[in-house]
Each structure stands twice: as C-alpha cells, then as structure tokens.
C-alpha cells in the first residue's frame, strides 16, 4: 500500500486531493485542525467507498513543536510515506498599515516554516522516488491587495520549491508546486459578492476554478516522473484582460 499525507486534507482543495488519491489507490492521512465536524464528515464520506484507507489526524501546524507529535501519530499508521502534500494554509487579511508582528509570524509559520521542518522530520520515512507537492498561489505572482503576509509567504513557498530540488536530489525525491488562482471553496465564502464579481471579471474564463480542476494538477505531477522543481499555475487566465 502506498501512503500519502495531505495537510489540510479534510476540506476544500485538500479534500478533493484526498479523494482523488484514494481513487488512485493511495491510503490517505489527512491532517486538519480545529474543524472536527468537517473532518468527521469527510471521514464518514470516504470510508463508505474506501474502507480502512482514509485516516484523519488533528494537529495544530501553527505550533511548530507539534511536528514531532504529528510524526508519532503517523508512525502508528505507517513507517513509510510515498507522497507528501503540503496544502494547509493560513491568511490574515491585513495590509502594511494594520498587520501585527504576531499576525505576520502566524501566516509565515503555517505557510512556510512548518512545511520546511515537517519535511526535515519526515525525510527518514519518505521512500526513494516519492513526491512532495506544495500548494502555492497565484497571489505569489500577482500583488495581493488584501493580505501582504499571504502573498509574501506564498512567494517564499515558490522559491522554497526551487531550492529544495538540490537538497532532495540525494534522496531521489521530486518536489513541485501547484499554484491555484481563485477556487470555489469555503476559503472564499466570506468574500462580498461585489469582490467576487470584481475578481471574476479579471479571469479570462469568467469563473472560479472547481476543486477537482486543481486536484487534477497534483495527479499530473505525481504521474509525470520527469517534472521537478516546477510551479504549475492554474488561474484560469487571471489578469489577461
């Protein structure tokens, strides 16, 4: 059995990635935090079609000390990982004038720092030929007008992927990134209608992406064994007008 870990794997893009991996024959360990209802609902949904192949672990990845706890919990399920999807993310919608040091550090920790040290911790049980895939963002490329910390953190994630290629080469582990634009998930549910309309007008395809359209890019990176160190943008042609 091939085992995968998907951080933020209980909802939104992460949930769809988990679903597609189950279809592909992976056992999936979905890591979540502070949303028991969603995690249990997803577990119940997936267990009906994939009994004993879907696991959920609650872990607060905003606290880097919890990486060791997560490792011990995963180790009770498997001592061998073939795929690591670093999808969990955090944002605080504040600009330069308003953001505090604590808020800045919170976004940077979840989006950038924790993934680095999570890879470090799990490296001994990542199989040769395995994959690491990050969820980046189009906001790493286009200036983010709402959250300074989020845009900068995702820019750093894209740079991290490029740099990790050299460090992971001796382990024969590929590392890539999918950078979605705006996706129709709960992440955007609180956006005002006028803001969503304004965003849609900038997308050449005139709609937000479906989660399954983003998840399919992760599968593409898994299957194509010659892609390494790449950022795959899926933004529907954002700002083409």
């Amino acid at each position: 059995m091939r085992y995968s870990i998907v951080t933020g794997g209980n909802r939104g893009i992460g949930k769809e990635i988990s679903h597609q991996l189950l279809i592909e024959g992976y056992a999936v360990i979905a890591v979540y935090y502070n949303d028991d209802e969603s995690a249990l609902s997803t577990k119940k949904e997936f267990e009906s079609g994939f009994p004993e192949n879907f696991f959920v672990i609650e872990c607060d990845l905003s606290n880097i000390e919890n990486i060791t706890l997560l490792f011990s919990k995963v180790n009770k399920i498997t001592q061998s990982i073939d795929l690591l999807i670093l999808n969990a993310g955090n944002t605080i919608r504040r600009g330069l004038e308003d953001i505090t040091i604590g808020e800045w550090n919170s976004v940077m920790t979840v989006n950038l720092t924790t993934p680095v040290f999570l890879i470090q911790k799990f490296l001994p049980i990542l199989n040769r030929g395995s994959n690491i895939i990050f969820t980046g963002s189009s906001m790493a490329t286009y200036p983010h007008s709402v959250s300074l910390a989020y845009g900068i953190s995702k820019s750093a994630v894209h740079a991290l992927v490029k740099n990790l290629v050299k460090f992971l080469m001796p382990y024969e582990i590929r590392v890539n990134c999918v950078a979605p634009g705006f996706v129709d998930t709960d992440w955007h549910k609180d956006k005002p209608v006028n803001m969503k309309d304004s965003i849609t007008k900038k997308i050449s395809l005139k709609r937000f992406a479906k989660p399954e359209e983003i998840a399919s890019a992760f599968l593409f990176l898994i299957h194509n064994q010659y892609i390494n160190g790449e950022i795959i943008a899926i933004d529907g042609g954002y700002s083409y007008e």
Side-chain angles (χ1 to χ4, degrees), residues 78-97:
T78 180
Q79 293 80 50
S80 175
I81 299 296
D82 294 286
L83 177 62
L84 179 58
I85 305 287
L86 296 164
N87 171 71
N90 184 25
T91 189
I92 292 174
R93 292 181 171 90
R94 295 189 191 277
L96 179 61
E97 299 87 354

PDB file of all heavy atoms in Angstrom, residues 78-97:
ATOM      1  N   THR A  78       1.769   4.110   9.684  1.00  0.00           N
ATOM      2  CA  THR A  78       2.734   3.597   8.707  1.00  0.00           C
ATOM      3  C   THR A  78       4.122   4.137   9.004  1.00  0.00           C
ATOM      4  O   THR A  78       4.265   5.222   9.573  1.00  0.00           O
ATOM      5  CB  THR A  78       2.332   3.991   7.269  1.00  0.00           C
ATOM      6  OG1 THR A  78       3.299   3.476   6.350  1.00  0.00           O
ATOM      7  CG2 THR A  78       2.246   5.495   7.112  1.00  0.00           C
ATOM      8  N   GLN A  79       5.133   3.407   8.616  1.00  0.00           N
ATOM      9  CA  GLN A  79       6.523   3.855   8.737  1.00  0.00           C
ATOM     10  C   GLN A  79       7.129   4.132   7.363  1.00  0.00           C
ATOM     11  O   GLN A  79       8.352   4.184   7.207  1.00  0.00           O
ATOM     12  CB  GLN A  79       7.367   2.806   9.468  1.00  0.00           C
ATOM     13  CG  GLN A  79       7.017   2.606  10.936  1.00  0.00           C
ATOM     14  CD  GLN A  79       5.788   1.730  11.131  1.00  0.00           C
ATOM     15  OE1 GLN A  79       5.706   0.655  10.550  1.00  0.00           O
ATOM     16  NE2 GLN A  79       4.850   2.176  11.935  1.00  0.00           N
ATOM     17  N   SER A  80       6.251   4.330   6.387  1.00  0.00           N
ATOM     18  CA  SER A  80       6.715   4.526   5.017  1.00  0.00           C
ATOM     19  C   SER A  80       5.742   5.441   4.273  1.00  0.00           C
ATOM     20  O   SER A  80       4.547   5.152   4.199  1.00  0.00           O
ATOM     21  CB  SER A  80       6.811   3.166   4.306  1.00  0.00           C
ATOM     22  OG  SER A  80       7.150   3.315   2.969  1.00  0.00           O
ATOM     23  N   ILE A  81       6.259   6.560   3.736  1.00  0.00           N
ATOM     24  CA  ILE A  81       5.428   7.535   3.043  1.00  0.00           C
ATOM     25  C   ILE A  81       5.901   7.693   1.598  1.00  0.00           C
ATOM     26  O   ILE A  81       7.088   7.807   1.328  1.00  0.00           O
ATOM     27  CB  ILE A  81       5.478   8.913   3.750  1.00  0.00           C
ATOM     28  CG1 ILE A  81       4.944   8.811   5.182  1.00  0.00           C
ATOM     29  CG2 ILE A  81       4.694   9.966   2.960  1.00  0.00           C
ATOM     30  CD1 ILE A  81       3.479   8.437   5.280  1.00  0.00           C
ATOM     31  N   ASP A  82       4.954   7.700   0.665  1.00  0.00           N
ATOM     32  CA  ASP A  82       5.267   7.850  -0.756  1.00  0.00           C
ATOM     33  C   ASP A  82       4.911   9.225  -1.308  1.00  0.00           C
ATOM     34  O   ASP A  82       5.385   9.605  -2.380  1.00  0.00           O
ATOM     35  CB  ASP A  82       4.508   6.800  -1.570  1.00  0.00           C
ATOM     36  CG  ASP A  82       4.971   5.389  -1.252  1.00  0.00           C
ATOM     37  OD1 ASP A  82       6.072   5.022  -1.686  1.00  0.00           O
ATOM     38  OD2 ASP A  82       4.242   4.673  -0.535  1.00  0.00           O
ATOM     39  N   LEU A  83       4.069   9.952  -0.577  1.00  0.00           N
ATOM     40  CA  LEU A  83       3.596  11.232  -1.098  1.00  0.00           C
ATOM     41  C   LEU A  83       3.275  12.172   0.050  1.00  0.00           C
ATOM     42  O   LEU A  83       2.542  11.814   0.976  1.00  0.00           O
ATOM     43  CB  LEU A  83       2.345  11.003  -1.953  1.00  0.00           C
ATOM     44  CG  LEU A  83       1.647  12.221  -2.546  1.00  0.00           C
ATOM     45  CD1 LEU A  83       2.562  12.970  -3.512  1.00  0.00           C
ATOM     46  CD2 LEU A  83       0.367  11.794  -3.259  1.00  0.00           C
ATOM     47  N   LEU A  84       3.820  13.386  -0.025  1.00  0.00           N
ATOM     48  CA  LEU A  84       3.568  14.406   0.992  1.00  0.00           C
ATOM     49  C   LEU A  84       2.996  15.637   0.307  1.00  0.00           C
ATOM     50  O   LEU A  84       3.671  16.288  -0.491  1.00  0.00           O
ATOM     51  CB  LEU A  84       4.873  14.744   1.722  1.00  0.00           C
ATOM     52  CG  LEU A  84       4.820  15.815   2.814  1.00  0.00           C
ATOM     53  CD1 LEU A  84       3.819  15.453   3.902  1.00  0.00           C
ATOM     54  CD2 LEU A  84       6.207  16.029   3.410  1.00  0.00           C
ATOM     55  N   ILE A  85       1.743  15.937   0.606  1.00  0.00           N
ATOM     56  CA  ILE A  85       1.069  17.109   0.045  1.00  0.00           C
ATOM     57  C   ILE A  85       0.988  18.174   1.130  1.00  0.00           C
ATOM     58  O   ILE A  85       0.295  17.998   2.137  1.00  0.00           O
ATOM     59  CB  ILE A  85      -0.351  16.774  -0.457  1.00  0.00           C
ATOM     60  CG1 ILE A  85      -0.333  15.613  -1.453  1.00  0.00           C
ATOM     61  CG2 ILE A  85      -1.003  18.015  -1.054  1.00  0.00           C
ATOM     62  CD1 ILE A  85       0.210  15.948  -2.800  1.00  0.00           C
ATOM     63  N   LEU A  86       1.683  19.284   0.927  1.00  0.00           N
ATOM     64  CA  LEU A  86       1.712  20.368   1.906  1.00  0.00           C
ATOM     65  C   LEU A  86       0.721  21.437   1.463  1.00  0.00           C
ATOM     66  O   LEU A  86       1.060  22.392   0.757  1.00  0.00           O
ATOM     67  CB  LEU A  86       3.131  20.906   2.030  1.00  0.00           C
ATOM     68  CG  LEU A  86       4.114  19.847   2.578  1.00  0.00           C
ATOM     69  CD1 LEU A  86       5.550  20.253   2.341  1.00  0.00           C
ATOM     70  CD2 LEU A  86       3.847  19.594   4.055  1.00  0.00           C
ATOM     71  N   ASN A  87      -0.518  21.246   1.909  1.00  0.00           N
ATOM     72  CA  ASN A  87      -1.638  22.042   1.425  1.00  0.00           C
ATOM     73  C   ASN A  87      -2.198  23.005   2.474  1.00  0.00           C
ATOM     74  O   ASN A  87      -2.853  23.980   2.124  1.00  0.00           O
ATOM     75  CB  ASN A  87      -2.742  21.095   0.933  1.00  0.00           C
ATOM     76  CG  ASN A  87      -4.038  21.810   0.621  1.00  0.00           C
ATOM     77  OD1 ASN A  87      -4.133  22.540  -0.361  1.00  0.00           O
ATOM     78  ND2 ASN A  87      -5.056  21.619   1.474  1.00  0.00           N
ATOM     79  N   ALA A  88      -1.943  22.752   3.757  1.00  0.00           N
ATOM     80  CA  ALA A  88      -2.510  23.611   4.811  1.00  0.00           C
ATOM     81  C   ALA A  88      -2.016  25.036   4.644  1.00  0.00           C
ATOM     82  O   ALA A  88      -0.846  25.279   4.323  1.00  0.00           O
ATOM     83  CB  ALA A  88      -2.121  23.073   6.185  1.00  0.00           C
ATOM     84  N   GLY A  89      -2.905  25.982   4.842  1.00  0.00           N
ATOM     85  CA  GLY A  89      -2.523  27.382   4.681  1.00  0.00           C
ATOM     86  C   GLY A  89      -3.243  28.288   5.647  1.00  0.00           C
ATOM     87  O   GLY A  89      -4.266  27.919   6.239  1.00  0.00           O
ATOM     88  N   ASN A  90      -2.693  29.465   5.815  1.00  0.00           N
ATOM     89  CA  ASN A  90      -3.283  30.457   6.709  1.00  0.00           C
ATOM     90  C   ASN A  90      -3.174  31.824   6.049  1.00  0.00           C
ATOM     91  O   ASN A  90      -2.225  32.103   5.324  1.00  0.00           O
ATOM     92  CB  ASN A  90      -2.543  30.458   8.049  1.00  0.00           C
ATOM     93  CG  ASN A  90      -3.185  31.397   9.059  1.00  0.00           C
ATOM     94  OD1 ASN A  90      -4.375  31.689   8.972  1.00  0.00           O
ATOM     95  ND2 ASN A  90      -2.410  31.875  10.017  1.00  0.00           N
ATOM     96  N   THR A  91      -4.160  32.652   6.285  1.00  0.00           N
ATOM     97  CA  THR A  91      -4.105  34.028   5.795  1.00  0.00           C
ATOM     98  C   THR A  91      -4.706  34.954   6.832  1.00  0.00           C
ATOM     99  O   THR A  91      -5.571  34.556   7.624  1.00  0.00           O
ATOM    100  CB  THR A  91      -4.844  34.190   4.454  1.00  0.00           C
ATOM    101  OG1 THR A  91      -4.581  35.492   3.929  1.00  0.00           O
ATOM    102  CG2 THR A  91      -6.347  34.007   4.617  1.00  0.00           C
ATOM    103  N   ILE A  92      -4.233  36.169   6.838  1.00  0.00           N
ATOM    104  CA  ILE A  92      -4.816  37.236   7.645  1.00  0.00           C
ATOM    105  C   ILE A  92      -4.959  38.425   6.724  1.00  0.00           C
ATOM    106  O   ILE A  92      -3.968  38.913   6.164  1.00  0.00           O
ATOM    107  CB  ILE A  92      -3.929  37.576   8.859  1.00  0.00           C
ATOM    108  CG1 ILE A  92      -3.924  36.400   9.842  1.00  0.00           C
ATOM    109  CG2 ILE A  92      -4.429  38.835   9.553  1.00  0.00           C
ATOM    110  CD1 ILE A  92      -2.972  36.551  10.999  1.00  0.00           C
ATOM    111  N   ARG A  93      -6.180  38.865   6.521  1.00  0.00           N
ATOM    112  CA  ARG A  93      -6.450  39.898   5.527  1.00  0.00           C
ATOM    113  C   ARG A  93      -6.137  41.288   6.084  1.00  0.00           C
ATOM    114  O   ARG A  93      -7.035  42.054   6.442  1.00  0.00           O
ATOM    115  CB  ARG A  93      -7.885  39.783   5.040  1.00  0.00           C
ATOM    116  CG  ARG A  93      -8.123  38.509   4.223  1.00  0.00           C
ATOM    117  CD  ARG A  93      -9.544  38.395   3.713  1.00  0.00           C
ATOM    118  NE  ARG A  93      -9.679  37.290   2.780  1.00  0.00           N
ATOM    119  CZ  ARG A  93      -9.992  36.054   3.133  1.00  0.00           C
ATOM    120  NH1 ARG A  93     -10.206  35.765   4.405  1.00  0.00           N
ATOM    121  NH2 ARG A  93     -10.090  35.104   2.227  1.00  0.00           N
ATOM    122  N   ARG A  94      -4.848  41.556   6.158  1.00  0.00           N
ATOM    123  CA  ARG A  94      -4.378  42.871   6.599  1.00  0.00           C
ATOM    124  C   ARG A  94      -3.236  43.323   5.711  1.00  0.00           C
ATOM    125  O   ARG A  94      -2.431  42.516   5.242  1.00  0.00           O
ATOM    126  CB  ARG A  94      -3.905  42.821   8.055  1.00  0.00           C
ATOM    127  CG  ARG A  94      -4.995  42.510   9.062  1.00  0.00           C
ATOM    128  CD  ARG A  94      -4.478  42.704  10.477  1.00  0.00           C
ATOM    129  NE  ARG A  94      -5.380  42.185  11.469  1.00  0.00           N
ATOM    130  CZ  ARG A  94      -6.442  42.836  11.938  1.00  0.00           C
ATOM    131  NH1 ARG A  94      -6.726  44.038  11.486  1.00  0.00           N
ATOM    132  NH2 ARG A  94      -7.209  42.292  12.861  1.00  0.00           N
ATOM    133  N   GLY A  95      -3.167  44.633   5.527  1.00  0.00           N
ATOM    134  CA  GLY A  95      -2.112  45.210   4.718  1.00  0.00           C
ATOM    135  C   GLY A  95      -0.970  45.734   5.561  1.00  0.00           C
ATOM    136  O   GLY A  95      -0.859  45.454   6.761  1.00  0.00           O
ATOM    137  N   LEU A  96      -0.113  46.531   4.947  1.00  0.00           N
ATOM    138  CA  LEU A  96       1.089  47.029   5.604  1.00  0.00           C
ATOM    139  C   LEU A  96       0.781  47.881   6.828  1.00  0.00           C
ATOM    140  O   LEU A  96       1.468  47.809   7.841  1.00  0.00           O
ATOM    141  CB  LEU A  96       1.917  47.852   4.598  1.00  0.00           C
ATOM    142  CG  LEU A  96       3.202  48.486   5.119  1.00  0.00           C
ATOM    143  CD1 LEU A  96       4.172  47.409   5.610  1.00  0.00           C
ATOM    144  CD2 LEU A  96       3.849  49.333   4.026  1.00  0.00           C
ATOM    145  N   GLU A  97      -0.281  48.691   6.747  1.00  0.00           N
ATOM    146  CA  GLU A  97      -0.572  49.615   7.846  1.00  0.00           C
ATOM    147  C   GLU A  97      -1.108  48.925   9.090  1.00  0.00           C
ATOM    148  O   GLU A  97      -0.958  49.447  10.201  1.00  0.00           O
ATOM    149  CB  GLU A  97      -1.594  50.685   7.391  1.00  0.00           C
ATOM    150  CG  GLU A  97      -1.137  51.550   6.234  1.00  0.00           C
ATOM    151  CD  GLU A  97      -1.452  50.911   4.888  1.00  0.00           C
ATOM    152  OE1 GLU A  97      -1.929  49.752   4.857  1.00  0.00           O
ATOM    153  OE2 GLU A  97      -1.221  51.579   3.867  1.00  0.00           O
TER     154      GLU A  97
END
